[in-house]
Amino acid sequence: METSADTFPKLLLAHAAQRPDAPAVREKDLGIWQTWTWARAATEVREIACGLASLGFAPGQNLAIVGANRPHLYFAVMAAQSLRGVPVPLYQDAVAAEMVFMLDDAAIEFAFAEDQEQVDKLLECRDLQEEQHPGGQRIRHIVYDDPRGLRHYDHPGLLGYEQLRELGRAFDAAHPGFYDQAVAGGRPDDVAVILYTSGTTGRPKGVCQTHASFMAAGRGGVASDRLGPGDDIMSYLPMAWVGDHLFSVAQWLAGGFTLNCPESAATVMNDMREIGPTYYFGPPRTFEGLLTAVSIRMEDAAAPKRWLYAKFMALARRVGSDILVGKPVAASDRLLYALGNLLVYGPLRNVLGMSRIRVAYTAGAAIGPDLFRFYRSIGINLKQFYGQTETCAYVCLQRDHEVNLTGVGSAAPGMELKIADNGEVLVRGVSVLKEYYRRPDATAEVLDADGYFHTGDAGVIDHEGQLRIIDRAKDVGRLNGPGGTCNGAMFAPNYIENKLKFFPQIKEAVCFGHGRDEVCAFINIDYEAVGNWAERRGLPYGGYVDLAGKAEVLQLVRECVEQVNADLAAEEGMESTQIARFLVLHKELDPDDDELTRTRKVRRGFIADKYAVLVDALYGCKEEQFIETQVKFEDGRTGKVSATLKIVQAKQFPPVRAAA
């Protein structure tokens, strides 16, 4: 849709005027899909904005938004923007003690919550604020969407969504023209959203992004992939993640397609099959999880089905990607692939909810080439884009027919790339942050005098202009070389970890090696996949700790590790980074234990310090090591998990040189 709108609320009004009856948002509620047209969505945003204004919400104030993907929460985003305020989405799985830091940092007085669980958390945050800063700034108003369980709550400042709309309608009637003037007064350089970084290396920082930045990112992606009103997207990832804000807000409003909100996290796959989205996105962890689910189902299938799957997947790995992009393929292979599409690939895409997918993207972390190849080989046009919270997740994207398995694409429209002398990726352009909220010192550290944002990623640009990310610059190191100094082979832990996580039995991996003579690893098994494997073999177990320590499971993981070692032996420059020893951790790495960020990125330094005794045991060539670890439970209680972990030696392979 062509429009001169320069803020998101203006763009919403343009859609409502030009396509009032077209579907804007759907939500599945109690098994039934509910639809909001663009006109209805614009009306509700107006009512919410006026309701907030009646409570005293003013330009420049911040509105916390906590909950899953719900139409009313997305409307709250635009309502705050309509008043020249700033929405601040927060991760709904963050505990109160973690969330209160961001509430304080962003000076939040107004919050919008999904349901009773989030209301309880925000009330707990308010109590913590009062304890820590008596009489100081704290949450004053909490609006909730789902009223179930909240009937008898009488806390000050608490009101329901429908109550807010009633206040808004009354305010709008009493102040004619107020809303229209507020929206018209919005400027493209106003801050449109504050998104907090994942806090991989320290306290999260609030990234201030303007309407101009996110609108340029949204329009650039929509134009590159020819998205429009006929497309459907499933909105299921955390609203606090920059990727969701790019796809579910910026691109949604830029392209005018339909946003679909699932009934719950547990029903996403079923809801996807019903909707049949044409456009899909997710971090590598999501695609890993989908592949694990497929692998489990195939292991439980009858022998003829397993044989058929193996045969046709071997064909897909060989020719599927070429067929997807229209490269020449032998007629016999093309005919077999068509048969495979009928018997295997088509039903598989349907199980994944991707039968209508035209474009799929992954971002947020590096994706392993093997995982990438799998999806493209079965006919899913999976591509990568690259960016950070500080760049609206918009730096590089892969255009059709320009996809390679190891790169993340070329510079997106409006963006520039440069590699610094130390190998760090620098970017400049339309999507770069305005500033960190109230952190001029941190802003100055990442934005140089020429306007380049320092990403912290190490990368190279190939001869085709495609960027290839090696790893986080701080994580790239070297193994010890002759004389015991760090002058040996380059060590990129994330590259090896992604190879390990391609196996459905491995959920997470953390590799060590910088300044060491060899590479060692911690591994988390996938409890569902390995549990299913154990049950089919009659192997009894009593929970994660017991299963992870079984000799049969250690052998299963050893086979995966040794396959990765064999692959590394065949890659030039990677031969020396084969894994020498590993252990299977006695617990899953967890954001609540500070081992992962809320976006599920490994906090490598924290893990190395927390489990230093295990790292020492790996490099001390011990056969086993006792460990006791404190853990946090979902209800806030703490406990301890202990185990004696076996240290497993992995076979290493001689380098395989390609024929000249």
Side-chain angles (χ1 to χ4, degrees), residues 597-617:
T597 68
R598 289 294 164 191
T599 53
R600 302 307 192 265
K601 293 177 182 175
V602 167
R603 299 187 67 199
R604 197 178 307 280
F606 180 88
I607 291 170
D609 290 340
K610 180 174 181 177
Y611 297 108
V613 64
L614 296 181
V615 176
D616 291 343

Side-chain angles (χ1 to χ4, degrees), residues 479-524:
L479 300 179
N480 282 344
T485 57
C486 294
N487 59 359
M490 186 181 73
F491 169 64
N494 194 247
Y495 183 79
I496 305 170
E497 291 160 1
N498 280 331
K499 281 186 166 292
L500 289 165
K501 290 191 289 182
F502 176 73
F503 295 95
Q505 298 88 353
I506 296 177
K507 184 174 185 177
E508 193 58 80
V510 186
C511 292
F512 307 94
H514 176 59
R516 306 276 190 170
D517 294 332
E518 53 198 357
V519 176
C520 293
F522 292 167
I523 288 174
N524 267 163

